Amino acid sequence: MKQWIGLLLSLFCFGCSTQIASQFVYSNADWLTVRYLEEYVELTGEQEEIIKRKTRLYAQWHQQNELPLYSEQLEYVAQISPQHFTEEDLLSLQASIKERVQVLVEKAAPDILTLTRSLSDSQVNDFMAHITEKHRKTAARLNEREQSESRNRYAIRIQETTEEWLGSVNSDQKQAIESWAQDILATSNEWIEYQSNLRLEIEKLLANRQNPTYLMTNFNQLIYFPETYYPAGLKKKRAHNLSVANKYIVTIIRSMDEKQTKHLREELLEWHELILALQS
C-alpha cells in the first residue's frame, strides 16, 4: 500500500534531475506505474488498463493543478535572503511541502482503494511476500551497521546534498554537518519495528479488503496517521532529530556566501524552467 503511494509521489513530485527525464516520466507515467507495481504483484490485463487510465488522468490533474503551485513556491524560495533566513521560514516551507504531499495522497487514495478491492488472494499473497522480503533486507542492512558508521554515512549524505544545491561547502558548514550527524539519535531499531507494525496492518487490511467499512477506516488510519504505528520512543526521537536538522539547516543557509547563493538560485531557476516546460 505504502509502495503504491510512494510511487505516485516519486512520479509527480520533483523526482527527476533533468528536463528530458521529467518529460519522459510525464509521457510514460502509465507504463512506469504498471512496471513498478509488477515488481510486487502480477497484474491482470484489466487491472493494467485501469491503472494506466487512472495514472494518465492523475498526471493531467497534477500538471494543471500542482505544477503552478510548485512554480510559485520556487519563485518565493529564490527571493529569500540567506542571511535573514530563520527557522520560522524553514518551518513554513516544510508545512507547504507537507500540504502538497497531502493533496497528492488524497487525490490518489480512491483509486488505490479500488485497486486494493480488486486484488485476488494470490495477488495479496505475492504482494505480502515481496513486502516481507524487502523489509527483511532493510532490517539486515541496518543491523549490520555500527552506530558510528551510520553517523558517518549520514554526514556524507548531508554534505553531498548540500554541495548539490550550494556547489560547495566551507569549513564552518562542514563543521555544522559533522555536529548535525553527531547530535541525531539513532532510530534503526525503532524503524525496523515500525516496518513490522506496518506490515501486520497492511496484511490485516488486505485480508478485509471486501469489508468496505473496515477497509476505509483502516486505510485512512494507515495513510493519514502513520505515527499510530510507531513503536515506543520513535515519535520523540523523530521530533528531536527534526529539531536538530532544522537548527543546522538554518545555520548552513545563513552562512552561505555570494557564490553559493548564486549557485542555489541557478539551481532553483533550472527547476522553475523545468516546471514551466512541463506545463506547456
Side-chain angles (χ1 to χ4, degrees):
M1 193 73 58
K2 299 289 283 186
Q3 279 69 23
W4 300 352
I5 289 180
L7 168 68
L8 291 166
L9 297 182
S10 65
L11 284 177
F12 299 109
C13 289
F14 300 138
C16 297
S17 59
T18 68
Q19 179 173 327
I20 293 176
S22 297
Q23 288 172 331
F24 174 82
V25 168
Y26 259 86
S27 300
N28 299 276
D30 54 350
W31 175 81
L32 291 171
T33 302
V34 169
R35 295 286 77 79
Y36 179 89
L37 291 178
E38 287 195 327
E39 292 182 9
Y40 293 90
V41 59
E42 185 175 351
L43 300 168
T44 66
E46 183 179 0
Q47 287 170 332
E48 282 193 22
E49 289 306 312
I50 292 173
I51 291 168
K52 287 179 180 179
R53 184 174 70 254
K54 294 293 187 179
T55 304
R56 286 192 291 269
L57 291 172
Y58 191 91
Q60 183 180 32
W61 165 83
H62 184 268
Q63 190 174 26
Q64 295 173 350
N65 295 276
E66 291 300 295
L67 289 185
L69 298 177
Y70 299 166
S71 179
E72 291 177 8
Q73 192 70 57
L74 286 173
E75 289 177 354
Y76 169 75
V77 173
Q79 297 303 315
I80 291 176
S81 169
Q83 289 69 35
H84 297 96
F85 190 76
T86 66
E87 188 165 346
E88 287 72 25
D89 293 325
L90 179 58
L91 291 172
S92 177
L93 288 172
Q94 290 171 339
S96 296
I97 294 171
K98 184 177 181 180
E99 181 181 357
R100 302 285 22 107
V101 171
Q102 187 78 358
V103 169
L104 295 181
V105 172
E106 289 176 356
K107 182 68 175 180
D111 293 331
I112 295 174
L113 279 171
T114 299
L115 178 60
T116 299
R117 286 192 291 266
S118 76
L119 294 175
S120 67
D121 289 344
S122 176
Q123 288 176 316
V124 167
N125 291 337
D126 287 345
F127 181 76
M128 290 308 306
H130 280 87
I131 295 296
T132 300
E133 178 61 13
K134 184 176 182 179
H135 286 181
R136 184 194 67 78
K137 289 181 179 179
T138 300
R141 185 176 68 253
L142 292 175
N143 284 327
E144 286 175 358
R145 293 180 188 169
E146 295 290 338
Q147 189 172 128
S148 58
E149 180 187 0
S150 294
R151 293 186 187 280
N152 184 53
R153 284 173 176 265
Y154 193 64
I156 291 173
R157 191 163 64 247
I158 295 171
Q159 181 163 333
E160 289 176 345
T161 302
T162 304
E163 289 174 343
E164 179 180 341
W165 285 102
L166 305 188
S168 62
V169 293
N170 59 40
S171 58
D172 289 340
Q173 290 164 344
K174 286 183 179 179
Q175 181 58 54
I177 290 170
E178 291 173 5
S179 298
W180 180 351
Q182 291 301 315
D183 288 352
I184 61 171
L185 299 175
T187 57
S188 294
N189 292 335
E190 288 86 353
W191 279 115
I192 291 171
E193 186 177 349
Y194 174 57
Q195 282 193 331
S196 179
N197 292 343
L198 281 181
R199 189 170 65 252
L200 291 174
E201 289 303 317
I202 292 171
E203 188 171 20
K204 287 192 291 186
L205 184 75
L206 293 174
N208 291 276
R209 62 191 181 281
Q210 302 305 332
N211 182 330
T213 302
Y214 184 95
L215 180 63
M216 180 64 73
T217 300
N218 289 275
F219 177 85
N220 288 340
Q221 185 77 9
L222 188 68
I223 298 304
Y224 299 120
F225 305 102
E227 65 276 6
T228 303
Y229 309 104
Y230 285 176
L234 180 56
K235 186 174 183 179
K236 187 175 181 180
K237 284 187 175 182
R238 285 198 72 221
H240 169 84
N241 289 346
L242 179 59
S243 176
V244 168
N246 287 351
K247 169 187 171 183
Y248 287 110
I249 289 172
V250 172
T251 297
I252 291 170
I253 291 175
R254 289 176 68 93
S255 66
M256 287 167 53
D257 58 28
E258 289 185 9
K259 184 178 179 180
Q260 290 175 322
T261 301
K262 182 175 182 291
H263 188 279
L264 173 61
R265 286 176 175 162
E266 288 174 348
E267 288 290 318
L268 293 172
L269 178 60
E270 278 190 29
W271 280 109
H272 187 255
E273 291 175 345
L274 165 62
I275 289 174
L276 292 178
L278 289 173
Q279 287 180 259
S280 60

